[in-house]
Amino acid sequence: MDTTATPPEDLSEAEAANELMRLARTIRKHNRLYHAEDAPEITDQEYDALVRRNEALEAAFPHLVRKDSPSKGVGHEVAASPLSKVTHAVRMMSLDNAFDAEEVGEWVARVRRFLDLETDAPVAFTAEDKIDGLSLSLRYESGELVRAATRGDGQVGEDVTANVAHIADIPARLKGDAPDVFEVRGEVYMERAAFADLNARLMDEARAAAEEKGAPFEADKVRQFANPRNAAAGSLRQKDASVTAKRPLRFWAHGWGEASKVPGETQCEVIRAIEAFGLPVSPQFTRVEGRDALLAHYDTIASERPDLPYEIDGVVYKVDRLDYQQRLGFVAKAPRWALAHKFPAEQAETLLNAIDIQVG
């Protein structure tokens, strides 16, 4: 019985348990396809709908939360791979999502309640566009890059140190007086134009190979990347780093992991320090105060989204003060002090000029 359209409160325990089982299996499958195989079968919006349904059922039936619940995991475990595994010193977390202004307001209110702030006490946040890329951790020791690893399941990722040596945005040595140990967290991505050029090149290479063999060229059998995020992930997670070297990958930083010393007392200060170390950060990164300013920045980025050279799927908000972040802490897989405000699916209009109808 399909219960997905039934409000959680109208389900029996047996129906809810069965749907939670199906959701765990389905979300696990799509996590594997997206994170481990770079071959998603559904859109981000369809995936988000599955996750939200799972969250709603778990809220209505907390005693039915499964040990393998998607709400407890991050990404996907590292599958069989020629790349070595790396255990992260500090877990790489996910983010909770909001899909409208009301949910953002509820999050801001929760932050204020948790911190027990006075009604008129100001709270500062940072806001930046959420790029659709592959999460990466860069470990620097004495300013030198010693290891790069993908997120994996948040605790264990893949060693891609040799591959990131070919990404111009990632310095082999940090500028200035960097901490003895400092892990930079960010996203590897591919710009839209570079993605289109890469797919065109793959098609040209396949055509040339077919001509050389004297075989017919079958364009529909050429494997191309579905979107820039998959192209970035597939390009970075290569056993042969020379393949990565031919791919136009970019990187920007948005946070940090293990650090012998944190170079600042606020999110904004540390991000600017990371930028000074020689790593790019979002050009849209800013600091604002209050819910209304967050939503205004969201609207600004949303209006600029179609013209950006890279793909984004939302805006990330973070509480600015690091002492507040420490007090807020974490839930199962995400910090209480950060939120991803997702964009709705992009829509476009197509003009249909004519229809030819043939009746057999």
Side-chain angles (χ1 to χ4, degrees):
M1 177 181 177
D2 184 5
T3 60
T4 55
T6 306
E9 60 270 18
D10 293 340
L11 294 177
S12 68
E13 280 202 10
E15 290 170 333
N18 284 333
E19 189 176 347
L20 283 167
M21 177 183 67
R22 292 194 300 271
L23 283 166
R25 185 184 305 130
T26 301
I27 293 172
R28 185 164 57 248
K29 168 193 170 184
H30 291 300
N31 277 339
R32 185 188 74 249
L33 290 170
Y34 184 88
H35 293 286
E37 300 180 16
D38 307 319
E41 292 181 348
I42 61 175
T43 65
D44 287 351
Q45 290 72 31
E46 291 169 326
Y47 176 83
D48 288 339
L50 292 173
V51 171
R52 286 172 71 82
R53 176 65 175 181
N54 187 79
E55 291 173 347
L57 288 171
E58 290 185 343
F61 299 90
H63 56 292
L64 296 180
V65 175
R66 298 169 58 87
K67 291 182 179 179
D68 63 346
S69 168
S71 64
K72 298 180 180 179
V74 175
H76 191 274
E77 65 182 17
V78 177
S81 167
L83 299 172
S84 301
K85 293 184 178 181
V86 172
T87 299
H88 299 297
V90 174
R91 188 182 180 195
M92 295 184 72
M93 306 292 281
S94 182
L95 292 173
D96 285 335
N97 294 327
F99 294 88
D100 55 42
E102 182 179 354
E103 291 180 336
V104 173
E106 291 171 354
W107 173 70
V108 172
R110 283 198 304 273
V111 165
R112 297 184 67 90
R113 285 196 302 271
F114 196 99
L115 295 172
D116 195 24
L117 297 176
E118 297 292 337
T119 305
D120 58 349
V123 181
F125 302 89
T126 61
E128 61 193 301
D129 40 351
K130 182 177 179 294
I131 197 157
D132 197 9
L134 178 71
S135 296
L136 185 71
S137 181
L138 304 170
R139 184 178 180 87
Y140 288 88
E141 296 180 0
S142 301
E144 299 282 348
L145 178 64
V146 297
R147 188 170 63 239
T150 63
R151 182 171 66 177
D153 65 358
Q155 295 182 340
V156 177
E158 295 170 306
D159 189 328
V160 289
T161 309
N163 305 57
V164 303
H166 300 288
I167 301 177
D169 290 333
I170 298 177
R173 180 170 182 80
L174 298 180
K175 297 178 182 177
D177 187 19
D180 290 339
V181 174
F182 195 64
E183 289 183 345
V184 178
R185 301 275 170 85
E187 301 287 319
V188 173
Y189 66 100
M190 189 176 291
E191 293 186 333
R192 288 169 168 162
F195 163 71
D197 289 344
L198 173 60
N199 268 347
R201 191 170 81 231
L202 292 174
M203 185 69 73
D204 290 341
E205 290 172 354
R207 183 182 291 106
E211 291 175 355
E212 186 176 339
K213 295 178 182 178
F217 173 61
E218 298 177 276
D220 58 330
K221 292 186 178 180
V222 178
R223 189 183 175 199
Q224 293 183 297
F225 291 106
N227 53 56
R229 191 269 172 196
N230 288 354
S235 299
L236 182 65
R237 297 170 63 244
Q238 292 282 335
K239 181 181 179 181
D240 184 355
S242 67
V243 176
T244 304
K246 298 175 183 177
R247 304 287 172 83
L249 297 178
R250 304 292 306 273
F251 174 83
W252 80 37
H254 53 58
W256 63 96
E258 185 179 19
S260 57
K261 180 182 178 182
V262 178
E265 296 182 354
T266 66
Q267 183 78 21
C268 189
E269 288 176 359
V270 180
I271 293 300
R272 292 308 179 199
I274 290 173
E275 188 175 31
F277 291 155
L279 289 143
V281 302
S282 167
Q284 306 281 0
F285 180 87
T286 191
R287 180 184 180 276
V288 299
E289 287 192 4
R291 185 203 71 134
D292 292 345
L294 287 175
L295 295 176
H297 193 59
Y298 174 90
D299 290 340
T300 297
I301 293 179
S303 67
E304 297 173 354
R305 181 187 181 192
D307 299 321
L308 293 175
Y310 46 81
E311 290 195 349
I312 60 175
D313 58 4
V315 179
V316 175
Y317 309 137
K318 296 176 183 176
V319 174
D320 191 35
R321 284 178 51 169
L322 299 189
D323 60 335
Y324 281 179
Q325 290 186 12
Q326 291 176 344
R327 286 170 57 187
L328 286 159
F330 301 83
V331 291
K333 65 173 184 177
R336 289 191 183 92
W337 43 265
L339 185 74
H341 188 180
K342 303 292 284 291
F343 291 130
E346 287 189 283
Q347 297 180 343
E349 293 183 359
T350 298
L351 178 63
L352 184 63
N353 293 315
I355 299 176
D356 291 330
I357 300 176
Q358 295 182 341
V359 179

